[in-house]
Amino acid sequence: MRDETKCLHAGYTPKNAEPRVVPIVQSTTYRYDSAEDIGAVFDDPSKSLIYSRFENPTVMAVEDKIAALEGGIGAMCTSSGQMASLLSILNLCSAGDNFISVSTIYGGTVNLFAATLKKLGIECVFVDANADEETLDRVFTKNTKAVFGESLANPALAVLDIEKFASLAHRHHVPLIVDNTFPTPVLCKPIEYGADVVIHSTSKYLDGHALQVGGVIVDSGRFDWHGGSFPGLTEPDPTYHGIVYTETYGKMAYILKARMQLMRDFGAYPSAHSAFLLNLGLETLPLRMERYCENALKVAQYFLKSPKIESVRYPGLPDDPDYALAQKYLKGASGVVTVVVKGGRKGAITFMDALKLASNQVHVADIRSCVQHPASSTHRQLTDEQLAAAGVHPGTVRFSVGLEHVDDILADIEQAMA
Ligand SMILES: *Cc1c(COP(=O)(O)O)cnc(C)c1O
């Protein structure tokens, strides 16, 4: 099936006389005939449902759909994108371990990696995405467990050279985790270029309507855990009767460990109702992404000609520094355009406050146009050096182009500029 078809049909196939639309199974628990039946499920929770803290049929239908779209072997939804980032790392790292991340990533992820994980004894080493291979090779230690990057960085809009980072990671026997939130699997499939794990904030384009906060982790099923040092996956788990994930679950080891161990313990699972809403958004994803790309290119071209704009980043523009990478990895450059407004912080805020159609909100990738000033919101906690490393300037405005008629979006920008 192509993406358009998967978005409508993957993950749920009703049998005779069953509901056409994936049902909302709003139940914490599942009934069994006997204590013995329940005991058997505890021996191997992957066989049947026990409790909606870590598994639910509505959520699982969406998980299967997203796994199919990404070309993965399995997926697990989480209560936020932040939780997907956190669990993707905790599934590999313990106190004393470290991992490597490209520095051009979402500000919330920088906080999580640089501050909160550090308190848990897990160190994140940030690297420049453009560093040469020798420099990058030197960053690895024997306790390095993963490499992390964003396929299309929020808000810097830098495009990750996925093959370069996949081969770097694989040379050191660790997986590459790619946050694919901005392109979505419709515009980029990181697994095809060597990524081992893909994560998303489903709060953005996947849902698209700003209805639910959520995340997802997708496992490619391709990484050889025995080739590296991952005792959590290759040695017995005492909290599951000594199950060895790689032995019992083979290619599904990573994603089932995330569910059976981390989700069981942390319980950051979405509700069935949230998953239902996410599914509704997913059904029209390919259509929406096509129009986002079309509208955003026109907005980027408009900004490029404006004398009040210092610089524009949109990897769909031929002059963009990452145009070549975008041509290679992305089917379209998505719907977000980043501009640096003349006049720094004041210029940016004056422009944003004058917009009438595009709203000021802490969100991106909405169906409605919206803007945000990273330096005073999502990236407020970062130091000036961290800001610069994340590709953010005090005058940076992130313009998330919506699905209104593009002429109305442009007219709004024009009056605000004036
Ligand atoms: C928003 C975002 C996140 C965090 O997701 P939430 O759903 O807000 O927790 C992570 N990565 C990227 C690229 C994002 O845009």
Side-chain angles (χ1 to χ4, degrees):
M1 288 193 284
R2 274 67 162 188
D3 287 349
E4 289 79 355
T5 317
K6 283 180 187 169
C7 279
L8 293 168
H9 295 281
Y12 174 71
T13 311
K15 297 191 196 76
N16 194 38
E18 283 186 353
R20 175 59 274 189
V21 175
V22 68
I24 302 175
V25 181
Q26 194 73 39
S27 179
T28 56
T29 192
Y30 309 87
R31 189 202 152 270
Y32 285 86
D33 283 342
S34 70
E36 201 187 321
D37 284 355
I38 292 198
V41 185
F42 270 86
D43 279 341
D44 186 351
S46 72
K47 294 272 191 302
S48 206
L49 301 175
I50 315 179
Y51 193 50
S52 294
R53 193 203 298 137
F54 51 88
E55 47 188 3
N56 169 279
T58 313
V59 185
M60 289 165 114
V62 178
E63 289 168 346
D64 288 349
K65 180 176 285 188
I66 297 173
L69 283 167
E70 286 286 5
I73 197 169
M76 180 180 77
C77 283
T78 57
S79 55
S80 68
Q82 287 295 94
M83 193 39 92
S85 307
L86 173 65
L87 296 187
S88 74
I89 297 294
L90 287 187
N91 210 26
L92 302 170
C93 294
S94 310
D97 289 335
N98 67 67
F99 65 103
I100 294 167
S101 173
V102 167
S103 56
T104 32
I105 56 170
Y106 172 63
T109 313
V110 174
N111 287 335
L112 169 66
F113 287 179
T116 300
L117 281 180
K118 193 172 183 179
K119 288 184 207 155
L120 303 181
I122 298 168
E123 193 197 350
C124 177
V125 183
F126 289 97
V127 295
D128 179 349
N130 298 316
D132 60 51
E133 298 199 357
E134 259 174 52
T135 309
L136 291 170
D137 277 332
R138 279 200 297 272
V139 181
F140 285 79
T141 71
K142 69 177 194 338
N143 293 330
T144 303
K145 302 292 179 178
V147 176
F148 185 98
E150 282 178 19
S151 48
L152 177 57
N154 175 11
L157 301 184
V159 181
L160 186 71
D161 189 342
I162 303 173
E163 283 180 349
K164 168 180 157 182
F165 281 90
S167 76
L168 173 78
H170 297 160
R171 241 187 347 267
H172 295 273
H173 311 290
V174 302
L176 173 66
I177 304 171
V178 172
D179 182 336
N180 196 31
T181 298
F182 267 23
T184 80
V186 169
L187 300 179
C188 177
K189 296 198 196 297
I191 290 172
E192 287 180 3
Y193 299 103
D196 303 287
V197 173
V198 174
I199 64 162
H200 286 274
S201 162
T202 62
S203 326
K204 314 296 168 54
Y205 290 117
L206 293 188
D207 159 351
H209 299 76
L211 294 176
Q212 55 89 51
V213 170
V216 68
I217 303 175
V218 183
D219 183 0
S220 71
R222 293 189 189 169
F223 192 78
D224 173 18
W225 303 106
H226 286 282
S229 172
F230 297 97
L233 284 141
T234 59
E235 287 173 17
D237 177 356
T239 72
Y240 262 121
H241 331 289
I243 273 184
V244 175
Y245 292 99
T246 48
E247 268 175 31
T248 310
Y249 301 116
K251 289 183 184 310
M252 298 279 281
Y254 176 89
I255 201 67
L256 282 175
K257 173 177 177 282
R259 188 188 299 278
M260 291 165 56
Q261 187 186 74
L262 297 181
M263 197 54 91
R264 174 201 64 191
D265 293 354
F266 292 142
Y269 204 57
S271 72
H273 188 251
S274 287
F276 177 84
L277 295 173
L278 170 58
N279 186 53
L280 213 52
L282 282 168
E283 292 185 330
T284 56
L285 182 67
L287 264 179
R288 289 188 288 108
M289 293 318 293
E290 202 177 306
R291 182 61 65 84
Y292 280 123
C293 292
E294 241 177 77
N295 281 2
L297 182 61
K298 288 181 186 154
V299 168
Q301 284 163 340
Y302 180 91
F303 277 132
L304 207 54
K305 282 188 262 150
S306 167
K308 294 185 179 173
I309 294 294
E310 208 165 282
S311 61
V312 182
R313 278 252 25 202
Y314 184 67
L317 291 173
D319 286 343
D320 191 89
D322 284 348
Y323 182 71
L325 286 174
Q327 291 293 304
K328 175 170 178 180
Y329 293 113
L330 309 178
K331 272 201 223 157
S334 206
V336 181
V337 179
T338 303
V339 293
V340 176
V341 180
K342 283 190 183 161
R345 183 178 291 262
K346 186 160 177 285
I349 288 173
T350 307
F351 165 61
M352 288 172 58
D353 288 354
L355 289 163
K356 289 180 179 146
L357 186 64
S359 55
N360 255 292
Q361 62 192 38
V362 180
H363 195 43
V364 65
D366 190 356
I367 201 159
R368 293 149 286 250
S369 289
C370 58
V371 285
Q372 201 194 18
H373 184 235
S376 58
S377 56
T378 43
H379 290 62
R380 200 182 179 90
Q381 279 77 18
L382 305 194
T383 64
D384 285 353
E385 286 105 61
Q386 284 176 322
L387 264 189
V392 177
H393 182 279
T396 298
V397 172
R398 189 183 66 189
F399 201 109
S400 176
V401 181
L403 299 187
E404 299 91 350
H405 194 288
V406 71
D407 291 347
D408 292 329
I409 301 172
L410 292 175
D412 187 35
I413 294 173
E414 189 164 308
Q415 66 79 27
M417 288 286 183

